[in-house]
Amino acid sequence: MPPLPPPASLPSHPTPHRVAVIGTGGIVTGSHLPALRAHSSRAELVAAVDVDQDRLDAFRQLAGDVAGAEVAGYTSADAMLDAVRPDLVLIGTPPSLHREQTVAALKAGAWVLCEKPLTLSLAEYDEVAAAEEASGAYASVVFQHRYGSGAVHAQRLLASGELGAPRVAHCQTTWHRDAAYYAVPWRGTWASEGGGPTMGHGIHQYDLLLHLLGPWTEIRAMAARLVHDTESEDVSTALVRFENGALATVVNSVLSPDEVSRIRIDCADATVELTHLYGHRNEDWVYTPAPHVTAERAAAWRVPDTDVPSSHSAQLGALLDALDKGVRPPGSGPDARATLEFAAALYKSAFTGRPVHAGEITPGDSFYQAMHGDHPHWAPKERA
């Protein structure tokens, strides 16, 4: 296999791209700000937006250390876009705001990197696609697990056929969230999150599964609300058939005391396993050769010497590479839509009790408009 390129595949941009953040909560301070720090020669933080003035002021003080200059503050995204005209906007607000803010940034000519889910439905996603087409800018969704060096290496091995034909796979996101977690007002409702762990938690792991295995063709699923007082599910399971013939199980749970994120793919010549929680390194990937595989061949599967953890920083670097070249970035367009379609199909199968095939959820389908599909047992109830 050819060696992995270094994490920064292009030299520093002569003029750093001007970046703004919308939302200054934990995901932005904890993940996006370190990513900007790692790419400070290529991306300059110039503005921040938050409706909470105190939180905005605290973030601006913190961010000044990264930017090396004062970061302009705004309580309105529209006002910031109009005044600053950034090259790139990072969005870390609650999910219900993503579509509106992404479309506004695209219309202002900015590229976007938005936290998952980019939208709450396929209908909303297609609004973003239309805004991309009209503006010439692009919107990517944060699926950082694709960008660690271990994932890049595994995808290359699988795509090349080096591990043999994929046959059986397991994708597991078994996490634990308590009642206090769902006490946050925007959690647990269809209107605010678009779904339960299928949309808000497991999506990272099955996005990586789809990235590794390619297109799926059929899904049969179940979902339940076993513990939490939420509109959406707190656990879902699915059986999936892939275009390459492989069969997979997918589990998304927030009911699991022993938390783990795991992918296992059994191929004709090897089993590849990833076990981690919220992010992976090279050491989290294990390759087990089939009995007929020689030691010399298996040795070539070793993870690369360069260890790039899955992270916002790794994905931001890939996006900046695309921005430098003016080409569509990874994790956008039809590629990212396929992951959202998988979520919609899982919900449709779980709520209707029948298999769903790839491509069948189109305009006119109730699951195209909303993940709950207006199903009488799952759709939001009118509140008194």
Side-chain angles (χ1 to χ4, degrees):
M1 297 300 296
L4 275 170
S9 57
L10 292 178
S12 298
H13 196 273
T15 303
H17 298 290
R18 299 168 69 252
V19 182
V21 297
I22 300 179
T24 62
I27 192 64
V28 173
T29 57
S31 296
H32 288 281
L33 201 54
L36 288 168
R37 183 180 292 113
H39 296 283
S40 58
S41 65
R42 306 177 65 191
E44 177 188 7
L45 181 61
V46 296
V49 179
D50 203 299
V51 295
D52 185 318
Q53 186 67 56
D54 291 340
R55 187 167 57 205
L56 175 62
D57 291 343
F59 176 82
R60 292 176 64 203
Q61 184 174 0
L62 178 66
D65 297 334
V66 176
E70 185 176 5
V71 175
Y74 296 84
T75 55
S76 162
D78 288 339
M80 181 277 293
L81 292 168
D82 195 44
V84 177
R85 293 287 168 176
D87 303 311
L88 172 64
V89 173
L90 310 180
I91 297 177
T93 54
S96 60
L97 302 174
H98 290 176
R99 183 215 33 100
E100 178 183 355
Q101 292 170 342
T102 296
V103 169
L106 291 169
K107 287 182 176 179
W111 286 32
V112 174
L113 178 60
C114 180
E115 283 298 320
K116 54 79 187 164
L118 180 60
T119 64
L120 302 188
S121 68
L122 289 170
E124 287 190 355
Y125 194 96
D126 290 345
E127 290 182 43
V128 170
E132 283 188 328
E133 182 70 22
S135 69
Y138 297 113
S140 293
V141 59
V142 174
F143 285 138
Q144 71 271 26
H145 292 327
R146 295 183 178 200
Y147 299 90
S149 51
V152 173
H153 182 67
Q155 196 276 334
R156 287 179 177 176
L157 289 172
L158 286 160
S160 70
E162 175 58 28
L163 304 182
R167 292 173 173 169
V168 182
H170 307 279
C171 178
Q172 174 184 351
T173 303
T174 42
W175 294 356
H176 189 269
R177 298 293 184 267
D178 59 15
Y181 175 85
Y182 285 104
V184 176
W186 58 266
R187 288 184 176 141
T189 69
W190 295 106
S192 61
E193 288 196 288
T198 306
M199 276 285 275
H201 304 83
I203 193 168
H204 279 300
Q205 210 64 17
Y206 63 72
D207 171 76
L208 180 54
L209 180 74
L210 298 175
H211 182 60
L212 295 174
L213 284 184
W216 60 277
T217 60
E218 180 183 354
I219 186 168
R220 299 167 183 254
M222 301 179 73
R225 190 187 300 113
L226 298 181
V227 174
H228 294 294
D229 183 19
T230 58
E231 289 182 345
S232 52
E233 85 291 357
D234 53 20
V235 61
S236 69
T237 63
L239 303 176
V240 186
R241 189 186 306 275
F242 282 83
E243 198 173 89
N244 58 24
L247 297 179
T249 64
V250 176
V251 178
N252 309 293
S253 166
V254 288
L255 308 178
S256 308
D258 183 10
E259 295 187 297
V260 69
S261 305
R262 180 179 290 127
I263 286 178
R264 170 176 169 146
I265 301 174
D266 297 322
C267 301
D269 296 336
T271 292
V272 54
E273 294 179 89
L274 166 65
T275 304
H276 66 117
L277 186 54
Y278 299 136
H280 58 78
R281 306 184 70 97
N282 284 354
E283 64 188 15
D284 300 318
W285 294 81
V286 176
Y287 293 84
T288 303
H292 64 270
V293 173
T294 65
E296 292 76 16
R297 181 182 172 194
W301 302 340
R302 284 196 300 263
V303 293
D305 293 333
T306 300
D307 188 0
V308 180
S310 64
S311 65
H312 286 64
S313 179
Q315 181 165 0
L316 180 60
L319 186 146
L320 291 170
D321 289 349
L323 185 54
D324 286 341
K325 297 175 183 176
V327 298
R328 175 175 288 284
S332 68
D335 184 28
R337 191 185 190 278
T339 300
L340 196 67
E341 182 191 4
F342 184 90
L346 192 156
Y347 280 124
K348 182 175 181 179
S349 177
F351 297 169
T352 64
R354 66 176 184 80
V356 174
H357 295 87
E360 79 169 57
I361 301 177
T362 57
D365 190 311
S366 59
F367 287 89
Y368 175 81
Q369 296 295 333
M371 292 293 170
H372 54 71
D374 285 327
H375 189 278
H377 295 156
W378 287 97
K381 304 296 190 295
E382 291 188 13
R383 300 185 186 275

